[in-house]
Amino acid sequence: MSPKEFEHALAFLCQRDGCRDVRVVGGSGDLGADVIATVPDGRRLILQAKRYGPNSTVGSGDVQKVNGTYQHAHGGHLAAIVTTSRFTQSARDYAVRVGIRLLDGDALAGWTSRTGPAPWH
């Protein structure tokens, strides 16, 4: 699956789980947003997609970028980074401090199969 196909797959999951106004906006200059959606309770969700191989990790710099843009640049109420891989400890620590949700490959599999929560829960 290409990075663009991954973004569209995340948009599909958002729509499947009741989001509306779902848009794929990723690409060069996306300012940390690949998918923007309104979750069922009305909050605006900003998703950053990171389609990585099993030996790659998402670091704290990616979390910092999303934290710096999701509210002011995109009008988001909440943000999540979704990866096919995993997050570094520093990324997890920083995300907890600033309230950004992280879904690693296992959590993504749970969301996809409906055995785990969507990123807005």
Side-chain angles (χ1 to χ4, degrees):
M1 175 180 301
S2 73
K4 185 54 79 179
E5 290 170 329
F6 183 53
E7 293 168 5
H8 283 276
L10 294 178
F12 168 80
L13 290 173
C14 288
Q15 286 180 315
R16 179 198 75 183
D17 292 345
C19 292
R20 60 187 191 283
D21 305 322
V22 179
R23 295 182 294 132
V24 175
V25 296
S28 179
D30 64 18
L31 298 174
D34 291 316
V35 177
I36 298 175
T38 302
V39 301
D41 68 9
R43 294 175 294 165
R44 186 177 177 104
L45 170 69
I46 309 303
L47 282 183
Q48 175 68 47
K50 295 293 182 186
R51 190 198 56 78
Y52 289 164
N55 297 321
S56 297
T57 56
V58 180
S60 66
D62 293 304
V63 182
Q64 292 171 33
K65 179 179 179 182
V66 170
N67 186 53
T69 61
Y70 85 92
Q71 291 174 320
H72 300 294
H74 300 294
H77 299 107
L78 65 144
I81 302 173
V82 183
T83 186
T84 52
S85 185
R86 61 193 192 291
F87 296 92
T88 64
Q89 186 62 51
S90 62
R92 289 193 302 270
D93 292 344
Y94 185 71
V96 166
R97 284 201 322 258
V98 297
I100 292 177
R101 293 135 194 245
L102 302 180
L103 275 77
D104 62 13
D106 291 337
L108 173 59
W111 180 24
T112 301
S113 66
R114 297 183 176 177
T115 60
W120 55 89
H121 290 291

